Amino acid sequence: MMNRLKLNSNFILYLVCISAFFASLNQNIYSPIIPLIRDSFHVSVTMVNLSVSIFIFLTAMMQIVFGSLLDFKGARSVLIPSILLTVAASITCALTRNFSVFFYFEDFAGDWDGGDPAYCGYDHRAAIPRK
C-alpha cells in the first residue's frame, strides 16, 4: 500500500512539475507566433498582444487563488480539474477560426493554467496520509 502511495505521489509530482515547466514557457512560446496568430485571425498585433498579456496576467493572478484553494480543498480536487479545463480550453483554441472564441478560451486556459505552478509551492507532506 505504501509503495503504491509513493508511486502515485511521485507520478503526481512529476506531472505537476512538467505542467509548471510548460506554464512558465508561455511568453517564450507566444512571442514567435504572434505574426502567425495575427495572420490566421486577420486581427491587429495589438489585439494579439492584448490576448497574450491578459493570458499571462490571469495565469499569475490565479496562482494566488489556487494557492488558497490548495490549502483549503486539497491538491487532488484542484489540480485534476485545472489540468482538464486547461486541456479543453487549449483544444478549443487550436480548433477555432474565430478570434473572439480564441481570445476567450485562451484567457480561460490562463485562468486554469495558474493551478499548476501553485501546486509546486504546495506543502506535499500535508497531502500524504499518515499511518
Side-chain angles (χ1 to χ4, degrees), residues 55-108:
F55 174 83
I56 293 171
F57 176 76
L58 288 174
T59 300
M61 293 308 296
M62 290 306 287
Q63 289 180 31
I64 297 168
V65 172
F66 282 123
S68 298
L69 279 174
L70 282 167
D71 290 339
F72 182 69
K73 293 275 191 182
R76 183 170 293 180
S77 62
V78 174
L79 184 64
I80 292 172
S82 172
I83 290 175
L84 292 176
L85 289 170
T86 299
V87 168
S90 298
I91 290 170
T92 304
C93 286
L95 297 177
T96 189
R97 300 272 186 219
N98 184 333
F99 185 73
S100 298
V101 173
F102 175 81
F103 190 100
Y104 176 78
F105 280 98
E106 176 193 28
D107 295 336
F108 184 77

Side-chain angles (χ1 to χ4, degrees), residues 20-90:
F21 171 74
F22 285 114
S24 67
L25 291 176
N26 290 334
Q27 186 61 39
N28 294 332
I29 290 171
Y30 275 115
S31 293
I33 64 167
I34 286 175
L36 178 64
I37 293 172
R38 179 198 64 208
D39 295 341
S40 296
F41 292 111
H42 307 291
V43 295
S44 67
V45 174
T46 305
M47 287 301 293
V48 177
N49 283 331
L50 178 65
S51 72
V52 172
S53 297
I54 290 173
F55 174 83
I56 293 171
F57 176 76
L58 288 174
T59 300
M61 293 308 296
M62 290 306 287
Q63 289 180 31
I64 297 168
V65 172
F66 282 123
S68 298
L69 279 174
L70 282 167
D71 290 339
F72 182 69
K73 293 275 191 182
R76 183 170 293 180
S77 62
V78 174
L79 184 64
I80 292 172
S82 172
I83 290 175
L84 292 176
L85 289 170
T86 299
V87 168
S90 298

